[in-house]
Amino acid sequence: MVLFMALALMLLPQEVCAVPVAQCNISDPFAENHMYYQPGDFIIASIISQIYRFSNPVNFERHPSRELLDLVQFMASGTYLASLELLSTRGRFIPNYKCDCQDNTVAVIGGPNSDVCLLMANILSIYKIPQLRYGSAPVMNDQTQGAFFQQMFPNWYHQYMGILQLLLFFKWTWIGVVCLHADSGERIVETVLPKFSQSGICFAFIEFFRNLTRFSADGGEMLEYVMEMFKVIMRSTANVVVIHGEIQTIAFLRMFLQISEIEDTPVKTKGDVWIMMGRIEFTSLSFQRHFDIDIIHGAISIAVQSNKVQGFQKFIQMRNPALEKEDGFIKVFWEEAFNCYFPNSEGDELDGEICTGDEKLETLPGSVFEMSMTGHSYSIYNAVYAVAHALQSMQLSKLKNRAMVERRRENLLKQQLWQLQHYLQRVSFNNSAGGEVSFDQNGNLVAGFDIINWVTFPNKSFVKVKVGHIDPISSKDKKLNISVDAMVWPSAFNQAQPLSLCNDFCQLGYVKAKKEGEPFCCYDCLLCPKGKISNQTDMDNCLQCPEDKYASFNQVLCIPKTVNFLSYGEPLGISLAIIAVFFSSITALVIWVFIKHKDTPIVKANNRSLTYTLLISLLLSFLCALLFIGGPEKMTCLLRQTAFSIIYSVAISCILAKTLIVVLAFMATKPGSNMRKWVGQRLAIPVVLSCFLIQTTLCIVWLATSPPSPDFDMHSVAEEIVLECNEGSVIMFYSILGYLGFLALVSFMLAFLARKLPDSFNEAKFITFSMLVFCSVWISFVPTYLSTKGKYMVAVEIFSNLASSAGLLGCIFSPKCYIILLKPELNNREQLVIRKI
């Protein structure tokens, strides 16, 4: 790599200096290959890395010094030489000694590589010479060096945060990273990439690349090295690759085209989106002149916001190396660009055409030369004006309140030029292009970034299209502004926005599940559990639906639940109500039959008071079922279970009393039995009353402590909100049911024991069968009730109530009604004694 030094700007008119000039006869150790100089009292110098050349590696088989000096291969020696040249009198290479008062270097512009800035700082910072860098920021190991640096580029951290916003905007979470500069690349990996990870970005690979200038001249070592990196990138599933590099980034990418031909793997089929960071310009190595440039089609780069400078293109068109004889490097560029040569003073003839100097730069393809002002040119332009404004500010501040304008020149010369850094840090102006130039407290340019989309054409030309911008000082949601419709993507994506994911997005209804041993961007997709949803792609956790909503069948949204209860307006509710009314009517009819035939033997033989009480309780039990139909209200909730339990306790106690009377009546027929006095009302009333009072007491305690109340059941039925009666105290609820079960069990056991008594007392057989039906119904009720949900629980309870009551009514009273209504001839005392009912 060859360095040139341009001493470019003459700020003040030349004057003859009266200071004696020392006669310096010491010659330069060797001359710079490329230099451009204009004399002046104050010089803005520039040390720029401009041309790539390759040499054979040092192998200690021959003396390397002359070859290295001729080619100036090593950047350090060339940069140090240029820096020392600035400290010497022109034409007299004596560092740290000036033979005249002219050619005072007030500031040095360095770039575009960070190595240039860092190396020149090693010398120039000692002399406190202000330095402006327009390329990538170097990694400073010494704070003293950084104190005299102004960066013609915003804080490097902001561009990476802008890249992060860009990745998140396009949802590119699976990326590769290539670092073309080891030192600054390590800094990026340590300080920036963790921020990417915290924001959900994963890295398919992170590769470091050695400096291009450290390879041999034949390019074989470089080609082999790039080939290995090419394989890593091409084998990766990441479609987005972020390149941390400097000006040589494009040259690095163009190497891939050659590798793809060797590996027989077309780059186009892979279709990576290259995101180029740092100060990227289109550069080419000499052997890449005829390479295709499709590799950068659709690439994205970040550039400092710039404006078009009027007259720049006209200035470029006027360049002529035949006329600009003092320009030490334009001839080299001209020969490389137009593939011709200028005859040397010795008259040596070379192969090829002779350069005339009249060749037109606008005829060159964009891959060789850009006619528009590049970002680097714009930064140098601003850097020169920044120094000029700083010199003017320093001059005005020293001449303030001075009466003698004639002494202005003398006072300025007496100033220490290192003080210029103070004014340079505070400079703020608008350039001729309308752009604002100022620096922050750290010496970084205060500016935003443009998002550039690279578009190539078959004739090896290209355009850089501005598709958005990044404003570091705006709020988070306004930092990035980009026009997706204006984007041009690599050809492999057919102008569809690329995806770069470790795996496909988890669709709606699914949630991410980590893969063991894989980066967090690589995951499986699992369906959300029942009752939960995911209404966005790639959700980390499923969302629980609110209580009044339920998850749709595909787990993507919550649907409002419908309010439901067993109502009279639905088939099930009206059917149960009709059945209840029907059995109530039958019971009322039986009561009327028994009252009408109350004096017949069969009615008298069955204890009329107990029979009437039992029939009335059965009638009320049928009607009680109607309390369970309809929307729960406070009064209906209080009456449902309590009325049901009390009515049933009366009914069962009547059956129990009937059974006891039958048993005692049989025992009373035995000679000498004392049981006769208990037969009849004397036993029936205490049994029924005691059973009634016990159940009533339990209900009162229940209502007093934790009574039932209307409630919403959100969970039993997934798609419904069930209006129900909350039973309050579950213990009391099961206590009254348990008590009914106890009475039914005792009645059944007694009836079962009395089933084989003589025919005169054959009612025990019907009671046995009725209690068997009753117990069977309620035993089957328990599992059925617990296995149903919502309004169907209420329906099961109503059905059990109706079935058990109908069982009692049918088993006990249907034989008697048959005799009363259809066989009246059997309804007499004689037949009752001798016949089996």
Side-chain angles (χ1 to χ4, degrees):
M1 180 178 291
V2 176
L3 304 171
F4 71 86
M5 179 176 66
L7 308 179
L9 184 64
M10 180 174 65
L11 294 176
L12 297 175
Q14 298 184 38
E15 293 185 8
V16 177
C17 184
V19 179
V21 178
Q23 299 297 321
C24 304
N25 297 320
I26 301 176
S27 61
D28 295 345
F30 54 86
E32 279 281 2
N33 283 10
H34 308 292
M35 179 182 295
Y36 181 70
Y37 171 79
Q38 285 188 349
D41 294 322
F42 297 98
I43 300 298
I44 300 176
S46 182
I47 301 177
I48 300 175
S49 170
Q50 185 72 10
I51 302 174
Y52 290 105
R53 288 185 181 176
F54 299 95
S55 67
N56 294 321
V58 177
N59 55 15
F60 299 100
E61 294 180 358
R62 63 183 183 276
H63 196 285
S65 59
R66 176 48 51 193
E67 180 180 7
L68 295 179
L69 293 177
D70 287 344
L71 295 177
V72 198
Q73 182 204 20
F74 291 107
M75 182 180 297
S77 60
T79 306
Y80 289 148
L81 174 63
S83 301
L84 292 173
E85 183 76 23
L86 296 177
L87 302 174
S88 305
T89 301
R90 173 163 171 77
R92 300 290 188 270
F93 187 76
I94 306 177
N96 203 28
Y97 181 75
K98 285 281 190 178
C99 297
D100 54 25
C101 60
Q102 289 186 337
D103 299 341
N104 293 297
T105 302
V106 297
V108 179
I109 301 172
N113 293 318
S114 59
D115 290 338
V116 173
C117 302
L118 183 61
L119 292 170
M120 73 182 193
N122 291 334
I123 293 177
L124 299 180
S125 294
I126 298 175
Y127 294 88
K128 301 181 180 179
I129 297 177
Q131 301 151 62
L132 298 94
R133 55 179 179 257
Y134 67 89
S136 301
V139 179
M140 293 292 183
N141 298 322
D142 187 353
Q143 293 183 354
T144 304
Q145 294 178 349
F148 294 93
F149 258 120
Q150 296 295 113
Q151 175 67 38
M152 303 305 298
F153 194 77
N155 189 321
W156 62 270
Y157 182 80
H158 293 322
Q159 68 170 324
Y160 292 100
M161 293 301 100
I163 291 292
L164 176 58
Q165 293 293 323
L166 190 68
L167 294 173
L168 296 177
F169 177 82
F170 288 112
K171 298 181 180 180
W172 292 333
T173 60
W174 184 240
I175 67 170
V177 177
V178 176
C179 298
L180 300 182
H181 194 280
D183 294 337
S184 60
E186 291 178 356
R187 176 178 62 174
I188 297 305
V189 171
E190 293 176 359
T191 60
V192 175
L193 295 191
K195 297 287 186 180
F196 281 42
S197 297
Q198 293 171 8
S199 299
I201 307 297
C202 292
F203 306 102
F205 59 85
I206 300 177
E207 292 287 324
F208 286 86
F209 189 74
R210 290 182 287 173
N211 196 305
L212 292 176
T213 61
R214 300 176 185 175
F215 295 101
S216 60
D218 60 6
E221 185 182 359
M222 179 193 299
L223 188 61
E224 181 180 352
Y225 193 84
V226 176
M227 187 179 297
E228 293 299 321
M229 186 173 293
F230 172 82
K231 292 178 180 178
V232 172
I233 296 176
M234 291 300 110
R235 291 170 182 169
S236 172
T237 57
N239 289 327
V240 174
V241 180
V242 177
I243 302 181
H244 166 78
E246 301 185 349
I247 192 172
Q248 72 271 25
T249 297
I250 301 294
F252 164 79
L253 289 178
R254 297 186 75 187
M255 295 287 290
F256 276 0
L257 293 172
Q258 186 175 357
I259 300 298
S260 66
E261 295 177 0
I262 298 174
E263 291 291 307
D264 194 24
T265 306
V267 175
K268 294 180 181 179
T269 61
K270 182 63 173 62
D272 281 330
V273 178
W274 309 99
I275 299 180
M276 300 178 287
M277 296 190 277
R279 278 306 189 84
I280 305 302
E281 298 292 357
F282 193 100
T283 58
S284 299
L285 301 176
S286 58
F287 59 83
Q288 294 180 321
R289 181 184 183 96
H290 302 291
F291 283 11
D292 199 347
I293 63 172
D294 285 347
I295 185 71
I296 62 171
H297 182 72
I300 301 173
S301 64
I302 306 300
V304 179
Q305 288 180 343
S306 60
N307 298 321
K308 185 177 181 180
V309 178
Q310 297 294 330
F312 179 78
Q313 193 170 23
K314 183 178 180 180
F315 169 80
I316 291 295
Q317 292 172 341
M318 294 173 59
R319 298 302 91 200
N320 190 318
L323 301 178
E324 302 175 23
K325 299 185 180 300
E326 294 197 13
D327 193 332
F329 60 87
I330 191 171
K331 288 186 177 181
V332 177
F333 161 75
W334 211 267
E335 291 176 341
E336 291 286 341
F338 291 101
N339 198 20
C340 60
Y341 71 94
F342 288 99
N344 56 29
S345 58
E346 288 79 12
D348 297 336
E349 293 187 5
L350 303 175
D351 294 334
E353 297 182 1
I354 297 177
C355 298
T356 65
D358 295 329
E359 293 83 3
K360 301 299 182 181
L361 291 174
E362 55 265 31
T363 63
L364 294 173
S367 59
V368 176
F369 184 77
E370 294 184 63
M371 290 295 294
S372 61
M373 176 174 275
T374 66
H376 285 169
S377 300
Y378 186 74
S379 295
I380 296 174
Y381 168 82
N382 285 332
V384 171
Y385 273 94
V387 176
H389 278 274
L391 280 171
Q392 184 180 32
S393 298
M394 186 174 71
Q395 178 186 14
L396 292 175
S397 67
K398 297 301 180 182
L399 293 178
K400 188 177 181 179
N401 299 324
R402 299 264 184 179
M404 301 297 294
V405 177
E406 291 79 6
R407 300 181 60 188
R408 177 181 60 182
R409 165 80 172 167
E410 178 182 355
N411 290 332
L412 183 59
L413 291 175
K414 290 181 180 179
Q415 300 304 317
Q416 298 291 333
L417 291 179
W418 61 266
Q419 295 178 352
L420 180 65
Q421 180 67 24
H422 171 78
Y423 297 94
L424 191 59
Q425 291 173 344
R426 291 161 175 76
V427 73
S428 180
F429 64 94
N430 291 332
N431 60 25
S432 61
E436 183 178 351
V437 180
S438 62
F439 302 95
D440 62 19
Q441 59 183 1
N442 297 318
N444 298 302
L445 184 70
V446 178
F449 298 93
D450 290 333
I451 301 174
I452 304 299
N453 189 204
W454 295 64
V455 183
T456 64
F457 303 96
N459 62 354
K460 296 182 182 179
S461 62
F462 64 90
V463 294
K464 294 184 286 187
V465 181
K466 179 181 175 181
V467 294
H469 67 270
I470 299 170
D471 188 358
I473 63 175
S474 297
S475 58
K476 185 176 180 180
D477 57 337
K478 296 182 179 179
K479 285 183 182 293
L480 177 67
N481 189 315
I482 188 169
S483 174
V484 179
D485 295 336
M487 294 288 296
V488 174
W489 303 110
S491 302
F493 298 107
N494 296 321
Q495 202 47 32
Q497 180 179 320
L499 295 177
S500 190
L501 306 169
C502 183
N503 45 258
D504 291 336
F505 289 122
C506 287
Q507 300 301 316
L508 302 182
Y510 289 81
V511 68
K512 295 190 293 187
K514 189 180 184 313
K515 286 184 178 179
E516 292 298 330
E518 298 287 340
F520 63 85
C521 290
C522 304
Y523 46 81
D524 293 318
C525 297
L526 300 179
L527 184 65
C528 285
K530 188 176 181 180
K532 294 186 177 182
I533 66 164
S534 66
N535 53 8
Q536 298 178 8
T537 58
D538 261 9
M539 290 188 64
D540 294 318
N541 297 293
C542 295
L543 302 176
Q544 180 70 51
C545 284
E547 288 188 341
D548 59 343
K549 296 181 180 181
Y550 68 96
S552 61
F553 75 97
N554 54 0
Q555 312 292 98
V556 299
L557 75 158
C558 293
I559 303 174
K561 294 181 179 180
T562 58
V563 179
N564 205 350
F565 56 90
L566 186 61
S567 67
Y568 290 102
E570 59 181 302
L572 180 59
I574 193 64
S575 298
L576 292 174
I578 292 173
I579 294 173
V581 172
F582 172 75
F583 280 111
S584 300
S585 302
I586 296 298
T587 306
L589 182 60
V590 173
I591 294 174
W592 176 80
V593 170
F594 270 67
I595 292 175
K596 185 176 180 181
H597 300 84
K598 62 181 179 178
D599 294 326
T600 61
I602 196 170
V603 175
K604 290 182 177 180
N606 285 278
N607 197 322
R608 284 180 296 183
S609 58
L610 285 178
T611 298
Y612 295 151
T613 305
L614 176 58
L615 286 171
I616 292 172
S617 63
L618 290 177
L619 173 63
L620 294 177
S621 68
F622 286 126
L623 295 176
C624 182
L626 300 178
L627 293 174
F628 290 83
I629 303 174
E633 297 179 359
K634 185 175 181 179
M635 185 56 64
T636 57
C637 286
L638 292 175
L639 293 177
R640 276 184 181 182
Q641 301 296 349
T642 54
F644 162 77
S645 60
I646 291 174
I647 292 170
Y648 257 88
S649 66
V650 172
I652 298 175
S653 64
C654 289
I655 294 174
L656 178 61
K658 276 177 168 287
T659 307
L660 286 174
I661 291 173
V662 170
V663 174
L664 292 178
F666 172 74
M667 295 175 64
T669 59
K670 295 180 180 181
S673 175
N674 296 322
M675 296 296 177
R676 185 179 297 273
K677 61 181 178 179
W678 294 103
V679 176
Q681 299 297 330
R682 183 174 294 185
L683 176 63
I685 293 175
V687 170
V688 174
L689 187 59
S690 61
C691 293
F692 167 78
L693 291 176
I694 292 174
Q695 188 71 302
T696 302
T697 302
L698 290 175
C699 290
I700 292 173
V701 173
W702 183 16
L703 296 178
T705 55
S706 182
S709 60
D711 195 9
F712 297 93
D713 182 2
M714 303 281 193
H715 309 289
S716 296
V717 182
E719 302 177 4
E720 298 178 356
I721 299 176
V722 180
L723 292 182
E724 64 176 8
C725 289
N726 188 325
E727 307 302 347
S729 175
V730 177
I731 296 176
M732 295 304 300
F733 173 65
Y734 285 108
S735 296
I736 62 173
L737 292 182
Y739 179 70
L740 291 177
F742 170 75
L743 292 180
L745 182 61
V746 172
S747 298
F748 174 73
M749 293 176 63
L750 288 177
F752 182 79
L753 294 175
R755 73 188 186 284
K756 293 183 180 180
L757 292 178
D759 288 345
S760 299
F761 309 99
N762 55 15
E763 190 177 28
K765 293 182 178 181
F766 302 119
I767 293 176
T768 302
F769 187 71
S770 66
M771 294 310 299
L772 180 61
V773 173
F774 182 90
C775 292
S776 299
V777 169
W778 288 103
I779 289 175
S780 61
F781 161 80
V782 175
T784 306
Y785 182 83
L786 296 178
S787 62
T788 54
K789 297 178 180 179
K791 64 182 180 181
Y792 297 104
M793 296 178 68
V794 180
V796 167
E797 189 170 0
I798 295 174
F799 178 81
S800 300
N801 181 6
L802 296 176
S804 59
S805 299
L808 294 178
L809 179 65
C811 294
I812 295 176
F813 294 100
S814 60
K816 298 178 177 60
C817 291
Y818 174 77
I819 294 175
I820 295 172
L821 298 176
L822 299 179
K823 297 291 184 177
E825 67 274 10
L826 299 179
N827 190 5
N828 55 70
R829 183 173 180 80
E830 292 76 13
Q831 294 292 330
L832 185 64
V833 174
I834 64 175
R835 294 187 59 89
K836 184 177 182 180
I837 298 179

